[in-house]
Amino acid sequence: EVQLVESGGGLVQPGGSLRLSCAASGFTFSNYEMNWVRQAPGKGLEWISYIGSSGYPIYYADSVKGRFAISRDNAKNSLYLQMSSLRAEDTALYYCARIDCSTTSCGWFDPWGQGTLVTVSS
Amino acid sequence: QSALTQPASVSGSPGQSITISCTGTSSDIGAYVYVSWYQQHPGKAPKLLIYDVTNRPSGVSHRFSGSKSGSTASLTISGLQADDEADYYCNSYTHSGSWVFGGGTKLTVL
């Protein structure tokens, strides 16, 4: 079964740091591009970062650029998000999601993990 | 990186059809086939409904269909059922290599 499991969320003070992890199983992780998507409480989905299958290229949403860093360890089948200088507005459920492919195209998010909650508050 | 524009809410009665629009620009929806739609029930992770504008993954009901005209994509749900009540999000690849979601549409089945 193709599965993504996020971990590492929790309560952190404004200005603090946190590292999220996403463990992949059921597929050849090193062949797939990955993303982080977040959802603030009661709000919509926000794409925040992308990483290519080999760790490059990397892209960020303007809202997290310079504060968050995406990375991956293909040997460990894991995706990471290092978050620093956290703000109250970063409070959200953070999902990892794979870019899935057909025989001719790659360009949609499937599957998604169940999410890990990050709360930024003093 | 402005969000794609979706109506905040739509509603319909069981058995009816509804369409949710998703408006972008020539730098995202208008330029690429990488337009997808997701269904999200409360407390659940998003679920892929449509990819590459019109394609349905295996296991997704034929009642869900997608289309695109210019910079506007659309999701149509026919034969509305109670379980279709959920939030729906569109997504597109963009010219900058990033991705962008719509603001989401809450579907109410009356």
Side-chain angles (χ1 to χ4, degrees), chain B residues 1-2 10 19 23 29-30 32 35 39 46-47 49 51 60 62 69 78 86-87 90 96-97 100 103 106:
Chain B
Q1 293 177 339
S2 299
V10 298
T19 296
T23 301
I29 292 177
Y32 299 101
V35 177
Q39 177 191 60
K47 171 191 172 185
L49 286 180
Y51 67 94
V60 172
H62 285 75
S69 178
S78 59
D87 295 324
C90 58
S96 60
V100 62
K106 180 176 181 60

Side-chain angles (χ1 to χ4, degrees), chain B residues 26-46:
Chain B
S26 58
S27 296
D28 39 64
I29 292 177
Y32 299 101
V33 70
Y34 304 127
V35 177
S36 51
W37 288 89
Y38 303 84
Q39 177 191 60
Q40 187 180 36
H41 285 108
K44 300 294 186 180

Side-chain angles (χ1 to χ4, degrees), chain B residues 42-87:
Chain B
K44 300 294 186 180
K47 171 191 172 185
L48 177 69
L49 286 180
I50 297 289
Y51 67 94
D52 283 0
V53 179
T54 62
N55 295 313
R56 265 186 318 274
S58 60
V60 172
S61 171
H62 285 75
R63 299 184 299 105
F64 295 92
S65 61
S67 63
K68 186 180 86 165
S69 178
S71 298
T72 298
S74 298
L75 173 71
T76 298
I77 309 174
S78 59
L80 271 179
Q81 300 178 358
D83 188 53
D84 296 334
E85 187 161 293
D87 295 324

Side-chain angles (χ1 to χ4, degrees), chain A residues 27 29 34 52 90:
Chain A
F27 64 100
F29 181 70
M34 298 294 296
D90 295 319

Side-chain angles (χ1 to χ4, degrees), chain A residues 19-103:
Chain A
R19 189 196 196 204
L20 306 183
S21 299
C22 170
S25 60
F27 64 100
T28 304
F29 181 70
S30 59
N31 287 351
Y32 287 87
E33 304 155 26
M34 298 294 296
N35 295 266
W36 287 99
V37 177
R38 69 183 180 184
Q39 187 169 34
K43 303 297 184 181
L45 301 173
E46 180 189 13
W47 171 86
I48 57 172
S49 189
Y50 160 95
I51 187 168
S53 58
S54 298
Y56 181 85
I58 285 176
Y59 298 107
Y60 298 100
D62 289 344
S63 58
V64 305
K65 197 174 296 182
R67 301 187 300 121
F68 289 12
I70 190 172
S71 63
R72 63 190 297 162
D73 185 335
N74 286 343
K76 294 184 177 180
N77 294 330
S78 292
L79 175 73
Y80 305 102
L81 186 68
Q82 180 67 48
M83 304 185 295
S84 60
S85 302
L86 283 162
R87 307 165 180 166
E89 54 265 36
D90 295 319
T91 294
L93 189 62
Y94 285 74
Y95 293 102
C96 63
R98 183 183 74 173
I99 293 290
D100 199 16
C101 300
S102 65
T103 54

